[in-house]
Amino acid sequence: MTPARSFYGLRHGATDWNREGLFQGRTDNPLNDDGLRQAHEAGDLLRGAGISRIVASPLVRAARTAEIIAAAISVPLAIDGGIIEFDFGSLEGLPVRDTMIRHGAKSATDLVSILPADGESWDAMTERSLRCVSAWLERHPGDNLLFVCHDAVMQGMANALCGSYFRNSHATPFRYARENAQWRIEQVVT
């Protein structure tokens, strides 16, 4: 399912597992001090972006990031499991870099090709995420929505809509911009 219009996405602030380079997936780790600072900075940055509603993943790292931003820009916040992080299965908690080296993976595309069968399907994650975003956009046609979620979710949507992955940093807002039938991803700078 392809969303009917543009929307915003933001990866949660950093956690200790992010700093350690571990597959985090569904492990419900909290933000660390850097992540909290990043969330506050994102709230400051987004004050002038015109966002009128936030939807967040239920995992604490995304929900807390969204709470901080929602308070900073005074908009309503909802939680939706449709944008929960990818389930990495048996890779959960393992070092990303070591796993990529062991399997000869050099890119995001390579990484997707080595995901274990005991986790979620990449295509299923992308489909559920786009379905979630589309449903919120349809329910709130007058709102500019920000989805606070996770790197894999944002990468899956980017690849499905734009045909490529992108460099995604913690608590950095991006706009998934639709013009006619074409999509692009642009970092939000105010």
Side-chain angles (χ1 to χ4, degrees):
M1 172 173 263
T2 301
R5 61 188 171 89
S6 302
F7 61 96
Y8 294 88
L10 181 133
R11 180 183 186 186
H12 60 80
T15 69
D16 288 343
W17 277 28
N18 291 132
R19 293 297 178 234
E20 294 167 20
L22 305 176
F23 285 103
Q24 192 161 214
R26 302 281 175 87
T27 301
D28 206 5
N29 292 317
L31 298 174
N32 60 22
D33 289 342
D34 285 340
L36 290 166
R37 178 187 47 76
Q38 292 164 343
H40 285 285
E41 289 172 356
D44 291 342
L45 178 69
L46 289 169
R47 277 201 179 94
I51 290 166
S52 51
R53 182 176 303 274
I54 298 174
V55 179
S57 158
L59 295 175
V60 69
R61 61 191 182 266
R64 183 67 184 123
T65 300
E67 288 168 0
I68 290 167
I69 296 169
I73 64 175
S74 301
V75 299
L77 167 63
I79 303 296
D80 193 315
I83 53 173
I84 197 169
E85 179 60 305
F86 182 73
D87 179 352
F88 287 100
S90 56
L91 291 180
E92 190 82 6
L94 296 179
V96 175
R97 182 176 164 78
D98 292 352
T99 302
M100 290 182 74
I101 290 169
R102 188 170 60 253
H103 292 281
K106 297 184 186 333
S107 68
T109 301
D110 291 344
L111 180 60
V112 169
S113 74
I114 64 165
L115 293 170
D118 66 348
E120 187 174 15
S121 147
W122 188 260
D123 290 341
M125 180 271 303
T126 299
E127 183 180 311
R128 77 164 156 79
S129 301
L130 288 171
R131 188 172 45 251
C132 175
V133 167
S134 295
W136 278 96
L137 292 171
E138 287 173 18
R139 276 193 302 258
H140 300 279
D143 284 342
N144 283 320
L145 280 95
L146 168 65
F147 295 88
V148 178
C149 51
H150 309 274
D151 189 39
V153 170
M154 291 179 68
Q155 297 294 353
M157 292 191 301
N159 193 47
L161 297 173
C162 303
S164 64
Y165 300 108
F166 70 106
R167 184 176 176 91
N168 190 8
S169 300
H170 291 102
T172 300
F174 288 89
R175 185 168 181 258
Y176 290 71
R178 180 178 178 157
E179 291 179 14
N180 302 316
Q182 299 296 313
W183 286 88
R184 71 178 186 286
I185 296 179
E186 53 196 27
Q187 186 173 334
V188 176
V189 181
T190 57

